[in-house]
Amino acid sequence: MAAGYVAEWIGTRTGLPFGGYRYTDALWPRPGGVPLIVALAWGGMGLAAHALARRVAPRGRLAPILAGALALTAWDLFLDPQMLRLGLWVWAEPGPYRGVPLTNFAGWLLVSVLVMAVLDRLTGRARRRRHGPGSGGRGGRAAGTTGLVVLYTVMAVMETIGFAVVFRPPDPFVAAAGGLAMGAFALLAWGRAWRR
C-alpha cells in the first residue's frame, strides 16, 4: 500500500511515472491528495498478483517479481477505462487506449515491479521464519495463497463480464484486452496447481 501511495503522490505532482493526471473530488478521504482507496487497491491486488506469480513462476527471485508485475499491470487494462468512465480521475493528455496514455501502463509496470519486490521480500521473510533459515522459503506452493489466486481470478471474470455485457455502453474491446491478459495469468496459475 505504501509503495502504491508514494507512487501516486509523486505521480499527481510530477506526472512521473504514469503521465500527467489528477484525481477529481469523487474519491475521499484523500490524505496528501491521493485517495486512500487507491493505496488499498495497490495493496490488495498487489498481494493477489504476487500470490499468482508465485504459482506461475515459483523459483528464483526475478521471475516471480516480473510475472507479478505483469499480472498487476494486466488489471489496469480494466481499471483505468472503468475509472475514467466514472469520472474518478482525468488525464492531462488522453491516450489511445480508451483515453488512457501508454505512459500509464509503463508506469504501472515500473511501480508493480517495486510492489512485487517489496512483497517478495516481506513474504520471503515470513516463509523463512515458518520453515527455518535453511529452507529459504522458495519454490513449491505457498500455503494460504489460494484465496488470493481466487481473488485475482474472480476479478478477471467480473471485469470481463462487466465490460462485455453489464456496463452501459458495453466495451467488448476492453473486455477482450483485459480478459485475455488477466485470464492468461489466472489460467497459468490454476494449470500449475492442477498439475500438482
Side-chain angles (χ1 to χ4, degrees), residues 110-130:
L110 180 68
V111 174
S112 295
V113 166
L114 173 64
V115 169
M116 292 303 118
V118 169
L119 285 170
D120 209 56
R121 178 79 179 199
L122 293 173
T123 59
R125 285 182 182 164
R127 283 190 300 270
R128 283 191 293 277
R129 277 198 301 272
R130 268 196 315 273

Side-chain angles (χ1 to χ4, degrees), residues 47-146:
L47 282 168
H50 181 266
L52 181 135
R54 275 282 161 202
R55 292 261 178 101
V56 171
R59 304 204 186 285
R61 294 193 66 85
L62 190 56
I65 289 171
L66 291 177
L70 287 167
L72 187 54
T73 302
W75 178 48
D76 196 44
L77 293 171
F78 285 129
L79 184 65
D80 247 276
Q82 186 175 357
M83 298 304 108
L84 284 175
R85 280 179 173 225
L86 297 172
L88 302 182
W89 55 76
V90 178
W91 289 100
E93 296 289 331
Y97 182 75
R98 296 302 192 247
V100 182
L102 299 181
T103 54
N104 173 66
F105 299 108
W108 259 76
L109 188 58
L110 180 68
V111 174
S112 295
V113 166
L114 173 64
V115 169
M116 292 303 118
V118 169
L119 285 170
D120 209 56
R121 178 79 179 199
L122 293 173
T123 59
R125 285 182 182 164
R127 283 190 300 270
R128 283 191 293 277
R129 277 198 301 272
R130 268 196 315 273
H131 302 293
S135 71
R138 302 280 176 212
R141 186 161 75 181
T145 60
T146 299

Side-chain angles (χ1 to χ4, degrees), residues 18-19 22 30 61 90 154:
F18 308 107
R22 66 174 174 78
R30 283 191 330 204
R61 294 193 66 85
V90 178
V154 167

